[in-house]
Amino acid sequence: MRMAWLFSLFLTTPALAEDVTVFAAASLAGPLDEIAEAFEQDSGHDVTLVYAGSSALARQVAAGAPADIVILANEAWMDHLDAENAITRNTRRTLLTNRLVLIGSWHLSEPLALHDLPDALGARRLAMALTEAVPAGIYARQALEEAGLWEALAPQVVETDNVRAAQMLVAIGAAGFGIVYATDVAEERRVSVLAQIPEDLHAAIRYPAALTPGASTAGQAFFDYLDGPIAQATFSGAGFGVPSGE
């Protein structure tokens, strides 16, 4: 399996018939790697995973980047690809759900109410993904605005290209707190969850997935595999919600 992180460039060579190229939201790194490895063993196909923020992925796919499957963390960016005829519409489905949490350094253990965040933050930074482009940042800003905290906190917000980068700032002590997906925290021991962000403060966090018009037969097979028991159990074990009947 090959893995890449996409920021400004995209792959320039088309996927081979026996290869599968998946453009996936950065927050899926980890469980999706495990699923791809299991699929490779079961099928004999090769899977290349390209991770980035959903906005970057959507722009690159719309510009012609060769992908068989697209998995984003935001419905609006998949709507954009739909409007650009960059996905096969009748294959689109909600693959997963997620939720937001407030995190701090690993040595913090006391729960922190969201409304107490401005006082707790002091002069430190609050790390979030890009609030006008990356889904995790968009959702986090929605929550802070709905809670009436955005204006007070905005001057101290540091924005990153993807949600994993926001978590890393907290892990290394460059930011005092961060707002990330609940699933991001599982494998990072240098941060702790201080609060669950109420889900009624932001739009529902859904991960839409779709095939592209140029998807290979192997791509279709992996797309179906994502609904199978191995993939579903892996996603659930990583903390993602797995919708049924969608």
Side-chain angles (χ1 to χ4, degrees):
M1 180 185 66
R2 298 187 298 274
M3 180 174 64
W5 288 87
L6 173 64
F7 295 98
S8 60
L9 299 177
F10 55 81
L11 300 175
T12 57
T13 54
L16 300 176
E18 68 273 19
D19 288 346
V20 181
T21 301
V22 183
F23 277 33
S27 53
L28 293 171
L32 189 56
D33 297 286
E34 295 179 24
I35 294 165
E37 289 176 2
F39 174 77
E40 288 179 334
Q41 293 176 3
D42 289 345
S43 69
H45 296 304
D46 293 323
V47 179
T48 298
L49 301 174
V50 182
Y51 291 117
S54 293
S55 57
L57 295 171
R59 291 189 182 105
Q60 300 303 337
V61 171
D68 295 283
I69 300 169
V70 184
I71 310 173
L72 305 180
N74 179 268
E75 298 281 2
W77 281 113
M78 193 66 87
D79 291 343
H80 172 70
L81 291 181
D82 193 351
E84 295 290 324
N85 296 315
I87 60 170
T88 303
R89 184 173 300 173
N90 63 2
T91 67
R92 178 175 173 175
R93 67 173 186 264
T94 299
L95 181 65
L96 303 166
T97 62
N98 211 335
R99 64 178 304 161
L100 294 177
V101 294
L102 175 68
I103 62 170
S105 176
W106 64 270
H107 67 275
L108 299 176
S109 58
E110 291 296 323
L112 179 66
L114 189 60
H115 281 87
D116 293 331
L117 180 57
D119 290 336
L121 190 60
R124 291 174 292 178
R125 294 284 190 173
L126 174 64
M128 295 163 50
L130 292 168
T131 60
E132 294 186 0
V134 177
I138 294 171
Y139 297 131
R141 178 169 177 168
Q142 286 177 354
L144 294 177
E145 288 178 336
E146 188 67 22
L149 299 174
W150 176 251
E151 289 189 10
L153 292 172
Q156 291 165 262
V157 170
V158 56
E159 301 187 15
T160 62
D161 287 339
N162 61 73
V163 68
R164 292 290 176 89
Q167 178 169 273
M168 182 58 66
L169 291 181
V170 179
I172 65 176
F177 299 93
I179 298 179
V180 301
Y181 292 129
T183 52
D184 292 321
V185 185
E187 297 182 5
E188 178 53 79
R189 297 182 179 181
R190 294 172 293 176
V191 303
S192 59
V193 175
L194 304 177
Q196 302 278 345
I197 305 297
E199 294 181 278
D200 60 359
L201 294 181
H202 58 79
I205 301 175
R206 298 189 179 99
Y207 287 68
L211 288 168
T212 66
S216 65
T217 301
Q220 175 69 67
F222 186 58
F223 194 67
D224 294 340
Y225 193 83
L226 293 173
D227 272 338
I230 293 175
Q232 298 284 285
T234 303
F235 283 132
S236 295
F240 287 95
V242 180
S244 59
E246 293 197 36

